[in-house]
Amino acid sequence: MAKVSMTVNGQNVTRDVEPRTLLVEFLRQHLDLTGTHVGCDTSQCGACVVHLDGRSVKACTMLAVQCEGAKVMTIEGLAQNGELHPMQAAFREHHGLQCGFCTPGMIMSAIDLVQHNPSPSEDEIRHWLEGNLCRCTGYHNIVKAIKAGAASMGG
Amino acid sequence: MYAFEFHRPSSVADAIAALKAASDGKLMAGGQTLIPTLKQRLAQPSDVIDLGGIKELHGIRQDGNSLVIGAMAKHGEVAGSDLVKSVIPGLHELAGLIGDPQVRNRGTIGGSLANSDPAADYPAAVLALNATIKTDRRSIAADDYFTGLFQTALADDELITAISFPRPEACGYAKFRNPASRYAIVGVMVARTGGGVRVAVTGAGPCAFRLPDFERALAGSFSADALAGLSVSPSGLNSDMHASAEYRAHLVRVMAQRAVKAVR
């Protein structure tokens, strides 16, 4: 077993884990943060996207022990004082989901985009979503939601 | 995933020591290939040595007329670097075509080169730009580095520390990508360098390779039309569910012509 300490959604956490524990397993099984989903388990679908030190990563393709000392943000960390994050609100407003399985990863990915490109074009949004698969919506409303979310984030 | 011991050294020397002490140790850079491989139980290392904590492997800097990229520089850092964009715009563009944003936020240039996947993008750039692979013990010229399928000139216990790219006069990259994985089915970089024109191909063969007859044609006339009459033999090229060897051979010329048009 290895001891790992990191900050998850602003809280310091320390746990003993097997080195082979994936970050997504650590979040879901050790911390009960089940908003981060496992879709494909082969690094392709993006349902497990979280932020690591402010950048989006696939939590199924990292070990928890690699996150020693890092700041991790999951979908559960976005809403503040009961208010949805502007990107979450935009996904709801623009119906950027149907079954909702890909949504946490989509939202985490979108926020990374907007933090580094405050007013992305539709083309830039579609390119950015290369690592996030949605099997319901055809992406149209997701793109609309991200454009609106970017605007309300101040872009 | 099988169990393993985990190490997170803070220096190159400690990483090499941990590797030597392990019965079957594996260095891990960004882990974007190694972790999926471990998850599928296609590898069973006794020890995984994470290079993420070694500061000396990070960073991108200019050294005289060369761009020196630390082995642990992530694809996203190269794609987001104003320095890379100003010194070697074609390399900057290539990095932004690797995988997807989340893979680019973890995957590293050193990891890509050590792995030498036949469909990776960076090998084309390293060969076309006549880069030098710096390791913990020596410098390896690009022309001597790629030796076969997932094979390189690296010794089993050798670690890439940085890659030095001499600034070309101009270069361009064109890639026919697998629409699902974003890997190169065929990728070609064309560079005009102080040492002449260099054309390097990835995705088509067991490892990246140069095309001397394409280079000669472009040295005579640097235009896409100069390549129009040339062809590549499918013999020895990769053939899989995505593309036959014959199709890859065809794509090599088409991508080379597109790369010439993309040169800047």
Side-chain angles (χ1 to χ4, degrees):
Chain A
M1 298 292 265
K3 189 179 282 294
V4 64
S5 299
M6 67 184 89
T7 306
V8 178
N9 300 333
Q11 307 272 320
N12 294 323
V13 297
T14 300
R15 294 285 190 282
D16 287 315
V17 298
E18 277 197 88
R20 62 178 162 173
T21 307
L22 296 168
L23 175 59
V24 72
E25 295 168 343
F26 181 74
L27 295 170
R28 290 177 57 85
Q29 291 161 26
H30 294 246
L31 303 183
D32 293 330
L33 294 172
T34 54
T36 302
H37 293 165
V38 180
C40 67
D41 215 20
T42 52
S43 320
Q44 287 162 318
C45 80
C48 68
V49 169
V50 300
H51 291 187
L52 177 76
D53 293 328
R55 300 307 309 242
S56 56
V57 299
K58 291 182 174 172
C60 81
T61 313
M62 287 203 64
L63 304 173
V65 285
Q66 286 179 282
C67 302
E68 176 64 37
K71 287 190 174 65
V72 174
M73 173 78 87
T74 73
I75 190 77
E76 288 93 343
L78 292 181
Q80 297 295 324
N81 306 317
E83 287 270 322
L84 290 181
H85 183 283
M87 190 61 78
Q88 291 174 301
F91 268 70
R92 185 168 68 180
E93 175 67 23
H94 293 272
H95 199 54
L97 60 138
Q98 285 178 28
C99 85
F101 193 87
C102 72
T103 313
M106 287 284 178
I107 289 175
M108 298 311 287
S109 185
I111 293 171
D112 184 21
L113 168 65
V114 174
Q115 281 172 350
H116 298 89
N117 180 358
S119 50
S121 67
E122 181 179 333
D123 200 40
E124 286 171 328
I125 293 170
R126 288 184 182 276
H127 276 290
W128 183 266
L129 293 180
E130 282 179 344
N132 293 87
L133 300 182
C134 170
R135 297 290 80 150
C136 305
T137 69
Y139 301 93
H140 206 62
N141 284 359
I142 293 174
V143 176
K144 266 197 231 170
I146 294 175
K147 246 186 133 51
S152 52
M153 280 171 70
Chain B
M1 200 184 306
Y2 295 111
F4 51 79
E5 293 292 319
F6 181 77
H7 309 266
R8 194 174 168 85
S10 56
S11 73
V12 168
D14 287 352
I16 301 281
L19 186 59
K20 283 184 169 160
S23 61
D24 183 16
K26 195 90 185 143
L27 299 173
M28 179 165 71
Q32 300 302 285
T33 298
L34 181 59
I35 292 175
T37 304
L38 294 175
K39 283 164 69 173
Q40 292 181 71
R41 295 191 167 184
L42 295 174
Q44 190 176 8
S46 62
D47 298 68
V48 170
I49 298 141
D50 178 16
L51 304 176
I54 306 178
K55 286 202 175 65
E56 64 201 88
L57 298 179
H58 290 264
I60 301 173
R61 62 190 171 84
Q62 193 164 5
D63 180 11
N65 207 27
S66 291
L67 194 62
V68 180
I69 301 183
M72 287 296 287
K74 297 175 178 75
H75 310 322
E77 288 174 55
V78 177
S81 162
D82 290 337
L83 178 63
V84 178
K85 192 175 184 178
S86 73
V87 179
I88 313 181
L91 184 63
H92 177 263
E93 198 175 308
L94 175 148
L97 296 173
I98 301 171
D100 59 50
Q102 289 73 40
V103 168
R104 293 197 291 275
N105 280 339
R106 292 297 302 163
T108 68
I109 187 168
S112 170
L113 293 174
N115 188 46
S116 186
D117 189 299
D121 293 279
Y122 272 128
V126 164
L127 258 188
L129 297 169
N130 197 17
T132 301
I133 315 286
K134 312 261 189 198
T135 78
D136 60 297
R137 64 200 69 167
R138 60 178 170 150
S139 293
I140 307 173
D143 285 327
D144 300 328
Y145 180 77
F146 300 102
T147 56
L149 186 70
F150 294 106
Q151 300 290 312
T152 70
L154 292 173
D156 285 346
D157 61 350
E158 191 168 9
L159 190 157
I160 300 175
T161 56
I163 299 89
S164 176
F165 291 92
R167 182 181 202 155
E169 290 162 19
C171 67
Y173 183 63
K175 167 180 177 176
F176 192 89
R177 67 184 192 180
N178 179 314
S181 72
R182 320 288 173 193
Y183 271 113
I185 290 176
V186 169
V188 178
M189 183 172 265
V190 173
R192 281 205 319 260
T193 74
V197 176
R198 292 171 69 99
V199 179
V201 182
T202 191
C207 63
F209 60 92
R210 288 172 64 190
L211 289 172
D213 51 339
F214 280 49
E215 294 175 357
R216 276 192 295 277
L218 290 173
S221 162
F222 196 84
S223 68
D225 287 346
L227 303 177
L230 297 179
S231 62
V232 173
S233 165
S235 168
L237 296 190
N238 301 334
S239 188
D240 55 28
M241 63 185 286
H242 306 299
S244 64
E246 289 74 17
Y247 186 43
R248 279 190 166 85
H250 169 73
L251 284 174
V252 168
R253 180 180 49 75
V254 175
M255 290 302 115
Q257 289 181 300
R258 288 187 191 171
V260 171
K261 289 179 182 160
V263 161
R264 56 199 171 87

